[in-house]
Amino acid sequence: MAKRDALGAYHAKRNLNRSGEPGGSRRGRKTARPRFVIQRHDASSLHFDFRLEVGDVLVSWSIPKGPSPDPGDKRLAIRTEDHPLDYADFEGSIPEGEYGAGTVIVWDTGTFEHLGDGSAQDALDRGGLKFRLHGEKLHGAFTLVRTRTSRQEQWLLIKKDDEGADRRRKPAKTQPESVLTGRTNEDLA
């Protein structure tokens, strides 16, 4: 799929001149491994936007309760539209009246590696992606599993029981700050 087609839904929902969000005109920085970003988004409800660099886009899910390092937690992840690569560094306040109005910070970021056979895109198409995060707040192996396809695909984000697992730590609640700037959503309001 061409990059323009992959970002069609993203562009259709936004007035980028008003929202201040990246349009995908620049490629974004490239790393040896693909990137991931988790953005804490305080919109109509607080949620976390989980994004993985797959091909030329950030494949995205909305996680209402935020990711967890506890292997016993299965987090609902609702598939959303692909985002441009330069969205990985976006922090700001999307104005009232615009899609996704509210504040956005980069809650965690780093690189990830696909752990399965074939490509990450193939695994997503099959409905199950295993990967290892190398982030500042989250690290270790996770799995995304598609549970339902309808108008909005529903997935589960599950932490694997490995060196990155921690049943006591609750970073989505106790570490609200940006890993890029140290700011919180409240600082941007």
Side-chain angles (χ1 to χ4, degrees):
M1 181 182 286
K3 183 178 177 184
R4 185 177 199 76
D5 294 334
L7 296 176
Y10 172 84
H11 287 116
K13 292 181 176 183
R14 293 164 174 79
N15 177 343
L16 299 175
N17 291 327
R18 278 197 28 85
S19 74
E21 295 167 281
S25 58
R26 59 185 175 86
R27 178 136 173 83
R29 73 179 193 277
K30 204 61 173 149
T31 58
R33 287 189 185 156
R35 293 173 294 159
F36 83 91
V37 64
I38 302 170
Q39 289 162 311
R40 189 172 188 266
H41 189 175
D42 195 359
S44 57
S45 63
L46 178 65
H47 63 279
F48 292 75
D49 293 316
F50 181 69
R51 310 185 198 288
L52 296 172
E53 180 181 341
V54 178
D56 289 335
V57 297
L58 294 171
V59 179
S60 301
W61 294 262
S62 174
I63 303 175
K65 291 184 177 181
S68 173
D70 182 348
D73 292 339
K74 292 177 173 65
R75 295 296 201 214
L76 173 65
I78 301 165
R79 183 80 160 82
T80 64
E81 71 277 4
D82 293 343
H83 282 55
L85 293 177
D86 50 355
Y87 209 95
D89 298 317
F90 176 70
E91 289 193 336
S93 184
I94 301 169
E96 205 56 45
E98 294 300 313
Y99 179 78
T103 58
V104 177
I105 62 160
V106 175
W107 183 79
D108 197 12
T109 191
T111 61
F112 82 96
E113 57 188 298
H114 169 53
L115 298 176
D117 294 329
S119 71
Q121 184 61 58
D122 290 341
L124 287 170
D125 292 344
R126 289 189 306 269
L129 176 66
K130 296 175 184 175
F131 54 94
R132 180 175 306 281
L133 295 181
H134 303 279
E136 295 188 37
K137 294 180 182 178
L138 296 178
H139 55 278
F142 287 79
T143 300
L144 272 165
V145 180
R146 186 172 46 226
T147 61
R148 188 170 79 181
T149 33
S150 60
R151 194 172 76 79
Q152 285 189 310
E153 289 183 20
Q154 292 186 4
W155 298 65
L156 291 176
L157 177 65
I158 306 164
K159 176 71 184 92
K160 293 297 185 180
D161 198 358
D162 64 6
E163 75 286 347
D166 189 337
R167 287 169 174 77
R168 295 166 295 157
R169 200 164 67 89
K170 308 288 183 213
K173 291 185 180 189
T174 62
Q175 295 177 282
E177 66 283 338
S178 164
V179 295
L180 298 183
T181 63
R183 297 182 298 184
T184 64
N185 292 85
E186 292 74 25
D187 293 334
L188 298 177

